[in-house]
Amino acid sequence: MVRGRLAWRVGRLAEVRDETPTARTLVLDVPGWPGHLAGQHVDLRLTAEDGYRTTRTYSLAAPADGDRIAITVQRVPGGEVSPYLTEVFAVGDPVELRGPVGGWFVWRPTAPDPVLLVAGGAGIVPLMAMIRARRAAGSRAPVKLLYSVRTPADVYYAGELRRPEPGLDVTVVYTRKAPADWPGEPHRIGIADVNTAGWPAEFAPQCFVCGPTGFVETMADVLVALGHDPRRVKTERFGPSGS
Amino acid sequence: MGIVTPGFRGRARTADERLPPGQYLVEDFPVLSAGPTPRVRTENWRFTVTTETGRTHEWSWADLLALPSETPTVDIHCVTRWSKLGTSWRGVSLDTLLADVDTAADYVLAECHGGYTTNLPLEDLLDGQAWIAYEFEGEELAPEHGGPARLLVPHLYFWKSAKWIEGLRLTLDEDLGFWEAAGYHAYGDPWREQRYQGD
């Protein structure tokens, strides 16, 4: 897995899928991709004609499909890289990348224990990779996903998450505007949501929390307050500077 | 030099010699940690230095505050590529804390509440290069930033500036810490872009 991880490779954009009005999935062909675990990242390096170069890290959104990998990029207004990747970068264009990166915030489909995934906004991306890896591997580990979004239009992978899947429970909480048939008022995820949609602490689930800093801080505190072992709560935070 | 990415221009840039290669500036203070934020009460806080012979030196919170403090203003650089310039801190220099510690060790493993560890050469903590910091920008250090006290080693990537510091273990040989054992660079010099093993 480590072999070849540090080599910069040239990938090509093979396919795009718009997830929301501001988020786009990029499927890249990367010859020689060494494979990865759900939850890992990839570094993308962009070079301008004058030689200026910049690198960003993106969570992988799915298990590798041969040499094909997928990321989902949220457009940050005024950002340096995300507007390029979501608006200009076109099918067939090359980009340099290396990876996979990160060996902590990962889920292995061989693990039988229950899993709680808590996503805030774009934090769904590495957690979706875990859901897809579970499906691809035929894992029977029971998974619950608690996903906080502002409005129904902000749900990534909406069609896929709506399809029933044995052993996967999906709960979406809307903070600004909810669909007409959603019970309750829009609200920020609180202790009651985590208690209802998650696992009891005595089931000792692996917990993965990903989202903006404030969201992750709150959710991790709630899980610890509900009795989850802090060592089984893995977190990944997106700062506002993470564009 | 890498291949040109068609149509990518990058933002108008101004060269800042304080910015290591591959880094970009932020104004906010992003939080990165591997798990929930430990809440450490100062009345229970202890800081220990354990030498390679097993000898332990210990400071309580009151002991720490009674030591001469310094107010370094430093640039900090995260391996995730953000840098923040001119951050101001208050803390106790490791020169002060290690002044009476007899050791032949070359390496340090910083150990933290919550189980996090990181490794450094001992010489990187000496000669005015490192502090146990307990204030940031004139305020008590917030728990999400490592409060009540964190290690501050600004010349290395910021994962070395261990939050919720509990102690230093001095060793003759290098033991890898949490991220280092997971594939990050053993040393982590931002100016040489030492992000991962092999960089």
Side-chain angles (χ1 to χ4, degrees), chain A residues 6 43 46-48 50 52-53 55 57 78-80 84 94 96 98 101 104 213 217 221 230 233-235 237 240-241, chain B residues 2-11 13 24 26 28 30-31 33-37 39 81 144 178 196-197 199:
Chain A
L6 280 173
D43 280 357
L46 307 185
T47 305
D50 64 359
Y52 171 75
R53 205 150 79 172
T55 305
T57 302
E80 184 186 21
Y84 170 80
E96 285 181 293
R98 72 173 182 176
V101 181
W104 167 250
T213 296
E217 282 292 304
D221 286 350
V233 179
K234 295 188 175 183
T235 61
R237 297 153 166 89
S241 60
Chain B
I3 59 155
V4 169
T5 319
F8 177 68
R9 285 180 196 85
R11 190 183 278 159
R13 323 123 215 175
Y24 56 91
V26 299
D28 58 332
V31 174
S33 18
T37 295
R39 313 277 156 177
R81 297 189 170 76
E144 63 266 31
F178 179 88
Y196 313 121
Q197 279 169 30
D199 274 349

Side-chain angles (χ1 to χ4, degrees), chain A residues 110-135:
Chain A
T110 48
D113 22 352
V115 179
L116 174 62
L117 308 175
V118 185
I124 186 69
V125 177
L127 307 184
M128 194 66 200
M130 297 177 189
I131 290 170
R132 289 166 165 169
R134 172 184 181 275
R135 188 188 307 141

